[in-house]
Each structure stands twice: as structure tokens, then as C-alpha cells.
Amino acid sequence: MSENHQKISKAIQYYKENYQNLHEEFLELLRIPSVSTSEGHKVDIERAADFLVNKLSGLGFDKVSKHPTPKHPIVYGDYIVDSEKPTVLIYGHYDVQPPDPLNEWQTPPFEPAKRGEYLFARGASDMKGQIWATISALEAIIKAGQPGLNIKLLFEGEEEIGSPSLDAFLESHKALLKSDFVLNPDAGMIAPHKPTIVYGLRGLAYFELRILGPKADLHSGIFGGVVANPANVLCKLIAGMHDKEGKVTLPGFYAQVRDLDEEEREELSRIGLNDDFYKEMTGVPALSGEMGYTPIERAGARPTLDVNGLYAGYIEKGAKTIIPAYATAKISSRLVPNQDPIAVKESMKAYLETNVPDTVTWELEYMSGAPAYINGEETPGLDLFVDALKETWHVEPLMKLEGGSIPVATSMKKRLGINSIITGFGLPGDQIHSPNERLHLPTHRKGVEVLIRFFA
Amino acid sequence: MSENHQKISKAIQYYKENYQNLHEEFLELLRIPSVSTSEGHKVDIERAADFLVNKLSGLGFDKVSKHPTPKHPIVYGDYIVDSEKPTVLIYGHYDVQPPDPLNEWQTPPFEPAKRGEYLFARGASDMKGQIWATISALEAIIKAGQPGLNIKLLFEGEEEIGSPSLDAFLESHKALLKSDFVLNPDAGMIAPHKPTIVYGLRGLAYFELRILGPKADLHSGIFGGVVANPANVLCKLIAGMHDKEGKVTLPGFYAQVRDLDEEEREELSRIGLNDDFYKEMTGVPALSGEMGYTPIERAGARPTLDVNGLYAGYIEKGAKTIIPAYATAKISSRLVPNQDPIAVKESMKAYLETNVPDTVTWELEYMSGAPAYINGEETPGLDLFVDALKETWHVEPLMKLEGGSIPVATSMKKRLGINSIITGFGLPGDQIHSPNERLHLPTHRKGVEVLIRFFA
């Protein structure tokens, strides 16, 4: 044990001494615009994958390779110390969200900039920063001696587009990936000094709805009042998807929803994210949402339906007096246990079949979906990880239900039959998926310490 | 009279013989992208104005000049034959609507292309084509002898942005512009072989509504269910602007609306634009609009409210799971006599003050407005023009209420105290304000004949 302690302090020492070099490498990774949603960045995706391959090889990992998939490659490498010891499969994704709207960034998204305690860049928090915390801790522990368990790393490049290739890869590499549990640092902490482990995650069903009217844009003076305006129709349909109490009206939407039990509500309330926290975090004048639930319950434990994008007609400067030929909306629903995304798709279809007027035609595209994930029974390694968090922050980690989807955890359970420890060292204010995404460096450094302790 | 007939046939002869040259010049004019809405085309606007100045000078017009305004210049020129004779002020605008969405054009908007009987280009119908019909007829009649009345021409470059400089120009040039009536060919015919004169025009009130939510786009997983989604809120507000019967719900919206009397409904029904006509014209599966009125009444004689543009969040290819920071809509209302656009602005504000939830903030921009115009009493020159239409098409011209706004007619009445003959030789299928705007050449040529007869 004390030998272990020596290893830990040696590793932490190493991390402190080599922080600058590791940080420089991190900046290199952040400079690669590995946006997975747009074809234009295919080359950058490959560059990011190669960057990781080289780094892992340099650290002495085995079987390091870039596995091609129909879309973006998966990077794998492992570090086996002793086949008798437990094995952790560490998951990460090196792709990032699109940076737009670009003009709202204070500094360019792919030119990392330090302001105060924060590092600003797309992917700084979600999740290149988390990948880098893992790699830094591994480098430190390897230089200080040996990890206390076998390490397997899997970094994909398709998380932000719904991981289309992951399931197939897990299925076809079961032997290679065989592990006792997954460490997935793609979640985050609820606040600085409040280490958090997520025991449940919302799922997702993502749609694009298109309302088609006239064959071309029409002059609103000549045809206004005669034909249905697809934009007005779309708004009416979207408005009808919620009732006065903030409940989703899609038929059967709540049929499979697993209700919160008292214990969960208790534990969630302990997190203490109140109205003021959310107001301050988001800058809205007042909160909103389903009646009868607290903000933290609404954000993590209740299903939602949000418009993510809206387009019709003329959106440039100035005025154009047209009736748009069509109107589109990107709409996604956050799902809770035990909602089935396909069932949600069906209720969306049912809603539209009943409510779309015969004055227009419509198309519904089901873009991606994943069920919610709940970490029921005991997860090996969980106690060790909790200890590592405690030793680093000297507080009891919080167990919470997370709002964001990590379909990956579901896939790992389904394909490899192992549970995930879902955690991470990002903060709610990191503005992931938004302009000016940032990483809180002090928290990030503490995260590396946690991982060093855990790997030791 | 027979002398007049000779003049007419000589002029028509001239037009036939010189059609090719005149057409080539027309194409030159169409090639100039004189888009008034965007600053980038300032140079092209000037080029279009210079083009007209040169043409009029070439025809022997007097006082030909390009009058600067705060924005785009007004081109004026006159041809006075005899101060005892009546004077017509012919209005036109040489600016055009923006061509976007560009990718929906079969051939580039500013490279005129002939397909079948149609000439495709932005402005071909609205209204460079109408300006050119006027100029062609004037050239023909001048070469054949003398016009039978004094001609004054006024071409502005700001019609598509609401003619911000016109009123001031009319006020400050009353003497120069003194005329007995206006000929305004910015309307159109309801069908080929159905010459039309408009005796009423709808007005317009154009708004941009902005709904402001969180200070930046938020991750819909982490914050979905906690904050109001500006896009959802915007949709709800827009949906609420119409009731089940297709009536606009803005408080007091119909207070000033002048109802149609039986005679008008009679005359309008005579136009015989039935459901099938509108369905065929627009390609919609079924018509829509205010209950209790025929399509032609809804299109011309009843006020409407349409969304012209809608934007929020992520509208590129693929998926982005965000709650947008804001959502905007361009909304415009077509007004009928005796609605006051300012009153409509007030009712829009009143609606928003009552209905916008306190979970977001909002901004309403009143972009432009003009009251409807109705040509009540006798207009000098009207009988002559009706005769010219009859002689050319051998049918009784239709008197109709037009849906589109021509605020210019209101200004002419208000500033110069003269009525307008509102007509034109465009067709409902011309797709003005849309991709693939076109001009029906045979109808256009007949239009030139009408104008030759009228000017003779």
C-alpha cells in the first residue's frame, strides 16, 4: 500500500514537472478541427486520430492502431500489466461539435486561448480535455512505475454524430476489448470541488421535420390568404407538441417513462442545483419546464422535447415578402429510462398524422436515437474510483442522473456486457456545444490527480 | 383619328422591325444585378440607373437626370409635346428582389435565358420587363411621329425596400412632376388574354420578431427541461396569431377593415380565379385561408398575416443538440382599406405584451409599412387606357382588387394629388420574388402594343 502511495506521489510529481510539455501537446490536439458532422473535415478527423496513435505508441502501448470504419476511424491501444489483474476499458471521442455560429466566439474555436483560469477552444471540455486528462495520468503513472490494472483505450471519431460505427466495432472486436468495466469521462462535475459520478443518462431521439407547401416561394401579396404558409403550419405543429403544463403531447410519449422513487429525488435534491444556479448559469430571466418537478429533476430525470434548429424563407438582412415554399425544424427529445427511441419516433409520427393539415405535405426524418442508460447493479472499480475522488477533493462524490445522452454506455452494456463508470472533469459552465467552449484548468489538473490515484 | 390610326400602325410596324435590337438592350438591363436590399449591389444600382439615363437621352427626352437620394437614385426624364395636352406620369422601379435561394434557379438569375415562350431572369417581370415595355412603346411612337400626350417618366431604385426616399422626392419636385394622372405598370394581368386594371391594392406592415433566451446556445441534454427554448416559444407565439377559422387574432386587427360590398364581390367573382386555378398555379394540395371568403377575395380584399422567414439554432446538415440562444421571425401583414399600418404595429405589440412568457425577452422591429390604396373616383386617362386594352385583346378588361402592395400609388395620391392607373403585363405564374422569375414574351409584346395605342 505504501509502495502504492510512493508510486502515486512520484506520478503526481512527474505530472507537475512535465505539465508544460503535456499542455503544449494538448493545444496541438485542440488546434485540429476534427468536426465529425461535416464532410469537409474528413482530413482533420484523420489527423486527430493519427495524433493519438503516435502519442499512445510513444507511451509504449501495444496493438496501437487506427481501425477504419465506414465513416471515421476508431483508435485503439492497450497496456497490459498482468492478465490476473482487472482490466478497465477507457472510452473517449476525439471528434467535436461544429463551432458555428463562428462570429460569437471571442477567439477562434481552433486557436486555444487562455483567459484567467480557463482555456477556450472547441473540444477543450467535450471531450479532448477529458481524453488528455486520461493520457496525462497514464503517462505519469507509467513513468512512475506501472499501472495497478490493465488499460485498454478506445477513442472514436463519431460521437457527435451518434456513433454510427461503434456498435459494429464492439461486436466484431469482443475479444480485443474484453474488460471488467468501462471508464467513461464524457460526463462532468456539477460544480468545482463537487466530484460527480453519473448513474443514469438520458437517451435521445433526433428528428428533422419538413413541411412542404407551394412548389416555389410565392409573393405574399398575390397569394397571401389563399395558400397555407408552411412556416406558420410548422409553428402551429411545434406549438402543439407541449401542453400548458409543459408536458409533451405526443401520443404515448410518457407511456414507458420510469418514475423517480423517493430515494432518487432525495439524492438529486442533495446536489442542490437550485433555480438561481440555473438562472445564473444560463442568463435567462426565469426558468421553465414541466410542472411538478425541480430543475435538477427536469434536467436529468424527465424527458424533454426541444427545437434545435428552425428554418424557412428569407433570413438575411432586410425584408422579402414571400410565402416560403417549405419550412424545416430539427427537433430532438431527451429520453429517460425506460423510453424506447423507436417508440418515440412512432408517437411523433402519430402526432403528425393527426395534426398536419391537408393544405401541406410533410416529411419526418429520424436522424438518430439512443435509449437512456441507468447503472443499476454494482460496477467493478466503482469503489476504487470513488476513493480516488475522495482522496483528491476530500468530499463525498455526488451520484446524479445526467441530462445529456451517452448512448455509448448503453452500447458497452449491450455489446460487451460491462457497466460504465460515467464521470469527467468538465463543468456546467463549460459551454460545450456552444460558442466559447472552455475548460477550467485547475479542475482539469485535479482530474488528472484523480486518474493517477485510480490507475495506481 | 385616321391619322392617329396611321401613327399607331407605323409605330407597331417600327416595333416589329426593331424588336431584336430592343430585346438585346432589354437583356443588357436584366444582366445588371440591381438588388436594392443589399449594400453589396450599390454599384449595380448606379449602373442600372445610368443605363436608363442613357436610353432616355437617346430617345430625345428632356431634363433627363439621375437624382441622388439618401440611398438609391431616382431617374427622371420628360417628353413634352404640347402644354395644352394632358400629361401622364409613368412610374417604374429598376431595382429587383434578392435572387436567393440561388441553387433553386435553373439558369443564373442575372443571365437571362429564353425557354419556350418565356424569358427567365430576376426582374424580367418585376419590373424591368414593364419598364422596357414602356420604353419600347415610347421609342416606337416617337419614331412614328409624336405621342398624343405629354410623357413624364420616374424610375426609382428602392421599391423592393419600401421606397424610403420617394415621398421626399415627390414633395420636393411637385412642379417638375405635375401631371394629370399616373400610369403604374407594376401590377399585372390575371391570365394571358385577360387584361386587368387594378382599382385597389393591399397595404403592408412588415416586422421582425426576436425571442431572446439563454446568453448562449445551451446543451439540450444538460439544460433541456430547465430553460424555455426560444424557438419553441416563437412557434407558440406565431401559432397563436391565427384562430381556427384562419382569422388573425392580434387585438383590434380587423377594427378598421373596410368590408366588401355586394357589387365588388360580384366584380371579383367575374375574374373567375377558382380553387383549381390557385392550386395549379402554386402546386399546393389544398387551399387555405380565412373562412367565409372566396380565394380571390382572400387574396385581394382581406388582410393576411404571413411568416416570411424563420431562423433559430443549427440549420446546416446533420444534428446539433442545442437549445438556441435566440429565435427570429420575419412576419408581414397585408392590409386592406382602411387599415393603418401603425395601428397594426400597435396590435402586434399588444399581442406580444400579453402573450410572451416571462421566461424569455423579446424585441419587435417595425421594418416598413404602407396603407392599402383604393382608386375611388374617376381617373383621367382611364377610359383611353381601357380602349387601348380592348383594341389589343378584343375583350373587356377586368377591374380587380390586387393583393400585392403598391404604396407608390398611395404616395402619388398623397403628395401629388393624382390617381394612378395600376396595370401591367406580368402574369400570376411569373414567379416574381421567387427563383426562376420569368416573363411571358407574347403577352409582353401585346403589352407594348397597348402602350403604343395609349400613347398615340
Side-chain angles (χ1 to χ4, degrees):
Chain A
M1 201 52 203
S2 82
E3 183 220 303
N4 225 351
H5 273 300
Q6 278 175 19
K7 200 202 303 179
I8 291 170
S9 44
K10 252 183 85 182
I12 292 177
Q13 190 58 25
Y14 174 89
Y15 177 59
K16 294 208 166 103
E17 285 162 10
N18 296 271
Y19 178 78
Q20 211 40 48
N21 304 341
L22 282 162
H23 189 69
E24 288 305 323
E25 285 182 274
F26 179 35
L27 299 185
E28 267 182 69
L29 179 58
L30 288 174
R31 288 190 194 102
I32 304 171
S34 47
V35 178
S36 49
T37 50
S38 65
E39 275 312 313
H41 288 288
K42 193 95 190 66
V43 191
D44 303 309
I45 286 277
E46 294 292 334
R47 275 171 57 218
D50 295 334
F51 179 94
L52 294 170
V53 165
N54 297 336
K55 180 63 184 174
L56 296 185
S57 312
L59 289 178
F61 271 69
D62 292 330
K63 310 198 201 69
V64 179
S65 60
K66 202 171 76 168
H67 295 263
T69 78
K71 210 162 170 63
H72 302 318
I74 288 174
V75 172
Y76 175 85
D78 59 31
Y79 197 98
I80 308 300
V81 289
D82 175 352
S83 56
E84 297 305 303
K85 293 199 161 157
T87 303
V88 57
L89 176 62
I90 304 172
Y91 166 87
H93 66 84
Y94 61 84
D95 63 323
V96 298
Q97 280 272 321
D100 42 289
L102 277 170
N103 57 349
E104 292 179 21
W105 285 78
Q106 284 183 49
T107 48
F110 297 108
E111 296 171 22
K114 192 164 176 300
R115 290 196 287 279
E117 291 187 324
Y118 293 96
L119 180 68
F120 290 82
R122 169 59 85 227
S125 173
D126 178 17
M127 83 173 275
K128 286 173 175 174
Q130 311 306 323
I131 286 180
W132 205 251
T134 308
I135 286 175
S136 304
L138 285 169
E139 175 168 327
I141 204 75
I142 287 166
K143 303 289 182 186
Q146 282 280 320
L149 71 179
N150 303 312
I151 312 287
K152 295 182 175 183
L153 298 179
L154 185 159
F155 300 142
E156 70 159 321
E158 298 180 348
E159 198 272 346
E160 302 294 4
I161 54 174
S163 307
S165 314
L166 185 65
D167 280 358
F169 182 80
L170 297 181
E171 273 300 332
S172 54
H173 295 77
K174 282 186 169 157
L176 179 71
L177 301 170
K178 188 175 186 321
S179 310
D180 297 289
F181 64 97
V182 177
L183 177 66
N184 184 336
D186 198 15
M189 304 172 40
I190 68 146
H193 313 297
K194 286 198 174 183
T196 311
I197 290 173
V198 174
Y199 73 95
L201 293 164
R202 290 198 289 189
L204 181 72
Y206 201 109
F207 306 96
E208 183 160 323
L209 173 59
R210 288 181 280 272
I211 301 297
L212 313 169
K215 57 191 171 193
D217 293 348
L218 299 176
H219 187 297
S220 68
I222 297 172
F223 295 100
V226 181
V227 304
N229 182 318
N232 292 73
V233 171
L234 178 65
C235 287
K236 202 166 187 339
L237 289 166
I238 289 170
M241 292 178 186
H242 286 92
D243 67 13
K244 287 187 190 54
E245 301 193 331
K247 284 212 183 318
V248 176
T249 59
L250 307 184
F253 183 78
Y254 293 96
Q256 303 160 303
V257 170
R258 171 182 158 285
D259 277 330
L260 282 168
D261 58 39
E262 273 321 307
E263 195 185 320
E264 281 176 299
R265 301 192 83 162
E266 187 64 42
E267 175 67 21
L268 285 171
S269 68
R270 205 163 69 73
I271 296 172
L273 297 186
N274 58 8
D275 291 32
D276 293 343
F277 166 84
Y278 278 108
K279 268 195 253 176
E280 209 247 305
M281 189 66 60
T282 60
V284 296
L287 298 187
S288 177
E290 188 180 4
M291 281 165 79
Y293 295 90
T294 65
I296 188 72
E297 289 169 351
R298 301 200 303 265
R302 295 294 297 173
T304 60
L305 185 136
D306 272 296
V307 172
N308 308 109
L310 210 52
Y311 168 75
Y314 185 69
I315 60 175
E316 304 305 311
K317 263 204 169 316
K320 196 154 179 266
T321 51
I322 53 165
I323 296 173
Y326 64 93
T328 67
K330 294 181 196 283
I331 303 172
S332 63
S333 180
R334 293 289 171 173
L335 311 179
V336 299
N338 304 313
Q339 283 180 297
D340 168 12
I342 299 302
V344 170
K345 179 183 105 187
E346 291 313 318
S347 46
M348 175 62 85
K349 266 179 65 185
Y351 171 82
L352 294 170
E353 275 153 7
T354 338
N355 292 286
V356 178
D358 65 354
T359 54
V360 296
T361 57
W362 57 283
E363 294 168 356
L364 179 69
E365 184 187 345
Y366 174 71
M367 293 177 72
S368 66
Y373 170 85
I374 201 113
N375 211 340
E377 67 279 28
E378 192 45 59
T379 305
L382 185 58
D383 300 347
L384 276 171
F385 194 81
V386 170
D387 293 341
L389 288 172
K390 276 198 237 171
E391 283 167 39
T392 310
W393 265 289
H394 314 293
V395 295
E396 190 67 30
L398 289 159
M399 304 298 283
K400 92 178 261 262
L401 276 166
E402 172 65 86
S405 307
I406 303 191
V408 173
T410 321
S411 301
M412 295 293 185
K413 181 72 181 176
K414 202 158 145 211
R415 309 291 171 181
L416 307 179
I418 52 177
N419 282 336
S420 298
I421 300 174
I422 298 160
T423 183
F425 308 104
L427 296 173
D430 284 351
Q431 305 184 135
I432 65 175
H433 293 212
S434 307
N436 305 306
E437 177 176 352
R438 65 186 192 180
L439 180 71
H440 187 239
L441 292 167
T443 305
H444 187 251
R445 280 190 289 267
K446 271 194 171 301
V448 174
E449 280 187 44
V450 170
L451 292 168
I452 287 173
R453 290 202 165 85
F454 179 65
F455 295 141
Chain B
M1 200 52 202
S2 81
E3 184 221 300
N4 223 353
H5 272 299
Q6 277 175 20
K7 200 203 304 179
I8 290 169
S9 43
K10 251 182 87 183
I12 291 176
Q13 188 59 24
Y14 173 89
Y15 176 59
K16 292 209 168 103
E17 284 163 13
N18 296 270
Y19 178 78
Q20 213 38 49
N21 304 341
L22 283 162
H23 190 68
E24 286 307 323
E25 285 183 90
F26 179 33
L27 299 185
E28 266 182 70
L29 178 58
L30 289 174
R31 288 191 193 101
I32 304 171
S34 48
V35 178
S36 49
T37 50
S38 65
E39 275 312 313
H41 288 289
K42 193 99 190 65
V43 192
D44 304 309
I45 287 277
E46 295 291 335
R47 275 173 57 216
D50 295 334
F51 180 95
L52 294 169
V53 165
N54 297 335
K55 181 62 184 176
L56 296 184
S57 312
L59 290 178
F61 271 69
D62 293 329
K63 310 200 202 68
V64 179
S65 60
K66 202 171 77 169
H67 296 264
T69 78
K71 209 162 170 69
H72 303 318
I74 288 175
V75 172
Y76 174 84
D78 60 31
Y79 197 98
I80 308 300
V81 288
D82 173 353
S83 55
E84 297 305 303
K85 292 201 160 153
T87 303
V88 57
L89 175 62
I90 304 173
Y91 165 87
H93 66 84
Y94 60 84
D95 63 324
V96 298
Q97 279 272 322
D100 41 290
L102 277 170
N103 57 349
E104 292 180 23
W105 284 77
Q106 283 182 49
T107 48
F110 298 107
E111 295 172 22
K114 192 164 175 299
R115 291 196 285 280
E117 291 187 322
Y118 292 98
L119 180 67
F120 290 81
R122 169 59 84 225
S125 174
D126 178 17
M127 82 174 274
K128 286 174 175 174
Q130 310 308 322
I131 286 180
W132 204 250
T134 308
I135 287 175
S136 304
L138 286 168
E139 175 168 329
I141 204 75
I142 288 166
K143 302 291 182 183
Q146 283 278 320
L149 70 180
N150 302 312
I151 311 287
K152 295 182 175 182
L153 296 179
L154 184 160
F155 300 142
E156 70 159 320
E158 300 180 347
E159 197 272 346
E160 301 296 4
I161 52 175
S163 307
S165 314
L166 186 66
D167 280 358
F169 182 80
L170 298 180
E171 273 300 333
S172 54
H173 295 77
K174 282 188 170 158
L176 179 71
L177 301 170
K178 189 176 185 318
S179 311
D180 299 288
F181 62 98
V182 177
L183 177 66
N184 184 335
D186 198 15
M189 303 171 39
I190 69 147
H193 313 298
K194 286 199 173 182
T196 311
I197 291 173
V198 174
Y199 73 96
L201 293 162
R202 290 198 288 190
L204 181 73
Y206 202 109
F207 306 96
E208 183 161 321
L209 173 59
R210 288 180 282 273
I211 301 297
L212 313 170
K215 57 191 171 193
D217 293 348
L218 299 176
H219 188 299
S220 68
I222 297 173
F223 295 100
V226 181
V227 303
N229 182 318
N232 291 73
V233 171
L234 178 66
C235 288
K236 202 167 185 342
L237 289 166
I238 289 169
M241 292 178 187
H242 286 93
D243 67 13
K244 286 187 191 54
E245 301 193 332
K247 283 213 183 317
V248 176
T249 59
L250 307 184
F253 182 78
Y254 293 96
Q256 303 161 301
V257 171
R258 169 182 158 287
D259 277 328
L260 283 167
D261 59 39
E262 273 321 305
E263 196 185 320
E264 281 175 298
R265 300 192 85 162
E266 187 63 43
E267 175 67 21
L268 285 170
S269 68
R270 207 165 66 75
I271 295 173
L273 296 187
N274 58 9
D275 290 30
D276 293 342
F277 167 83
Y278 278 110
K279 269 194 253 176
E280 209 246 304
M281 190 65 61
T282 60
V284 297
L287 298 188
S288 177
E290 188 180 4
M291 280 164 84
Y293 295 89
T294 65
I296 188 72
E297 289 169 352
R298 300 201 302 266
R302 295 294 297 173
T304 60
L305 185 135
D306 272 295
V307 172
N308 308 110
L310 210 52
Y311 169 74
Y314 185 69
I315 61 176
E316 304 303 313
K317 263 203 168 311
K320 196 155 179 264
T321 50
I322 52 165
I323 297 174
Y326 64 94
T328 68
K330 294 181 197 284
I331 303 173
S332 63
S333 181
R334 293 289 171 173
L335 310 180
V336 298
N338 303 310
Q339 284 180 295
D340 169 12
I342 299 302
V344 170
K345 180 183 106 188
E346 291 313 317
S347 46
M348 175 64 85
K349 266 178 66 186
Y351 171 82
L352 294 170
E353 276 154 6
T354 335
N355 293 286
V356 178
D358 65 354
T359 54
V360 296
T361 57
W362 57 283
E363 294 168 356
L364 179 69
E365 183 186 348
Y366 175 71
M367 294 177 73
S368 65
Y373 169 85
I374 201 115
N375 211 341
E377 69 279 27
E378 193 46 58
T379 306
L382 185 57
D383 301 346
L384 277 171
F385 195 80
V386 169
D387 293 342
L389 289 173
K390 276 197 237 168
E391 283 166 40
T392 309
W393 264 289
H394 313 295
V395 296
E396 189 68 29
L398 290 159
M399 303 299 283
K400 88 178 264 258
L401 276 164
E402 171 67 85
S405 308
I406 303 191
V408 173
T410 320
S411 301
M412 295 293 184
K413 181 73 181 176
K414 203 159 146 212
R415 308 291 171 181
L416 307 179
I418 51 177
N419 282 334
S420 298
I421 300 174
I422 299 159
T423 183
F425 308 103
L427 296 172
D430 284 352
Q431 306 183 138
I432 66 175
H433 294 213
S434 307
N436 304 306
E437 177 176 352
R438 65 186 193 180
L439 179 71
H440 187 238
L441 292 167
T443 304
H444 186 251
R445 280 190 289 266
K446 271 193 171 304
V448 174
E449 279 185 43
V450 170
L451 292 167
I452 287 172
R453 291 202 166 84
F454 178 66
F455 295 142

